[in-house]
Amino acid sequence: LIERAQFAVNDCIYQPGVYKYEDDFEGSFLEYFLHEMEKVLHPNNINVNPSIMKQYLNHIVPQICMPGDDSNYGSTATRDVECLQALSKRIHY
């Protein structure tokens, strides 16, 4: 979370339709980033990741990051993925 807090909120990476993707993916930049990184994960029947992401985006990011846009979208998404994966791993274990 400390690494994520160094960037502004950068809301545009969380909004679907801001970016266009070659494979007709229609989610947000963060969702696309997660989708591409997690293609190799083994499927399982227990998955609370949508709830984790909702809480993370609605409660954690606004509390630890300065509002606004600093144009560090790739770095922001990378840190978000690291945080979401760490939270998910901890919660699912």
Side-chain angles (χ1 to χ4, degrees), residues 12-73:
C12 68
I13 71 166
Y14 308 126
Q15 299 169 6
V18 173
Y19 300 99
K20 303 295 180 215
Y21 307 98
E22 292 180 13
D23 60 359
D24 294 329
F25 185 87
E26 295 188 15
S28 70
F29 179 71
L30 177 62
E31 291 167 331
Y32 182 75
F33 201 83
L34 275 168
H35 170 74
E36 290 298 310
M37 289 189 68
E38 295 183 347
K39 281 183 178 179
V40 296
L41 292 180
H42 184 51
N44 78 53
N45 296 328
I46 300 170
N47 185 351
V48 296
N49 287 336
S51 296
I52 295 169
M53 184 184 291
K54 182 179 177 183
Q55 294 299 317
Y56 175 78
L57 296 178
N58 291 334
H59 300 287
I60 296 173
V61 170
Q63 289 183 5
I64 66 170
C65 300
M66 292 182 8
D69 188 317
D70 60 14
S71 299
N72 287 305
Y73 308 133

Side-chain angles (χ1 to χ4, degrees), residues 73-91:
Y73 308 133
S75 297
T76 298
T78 300
R79 298 299 176 242
D80 282 337
V81 167
E82 291 170 354
C83 291
L84 287 166
Q85 287 177 335
L87 289 166
S88 176
K89 193 178 296 184
R90 188 72 171 158
I91 290 167

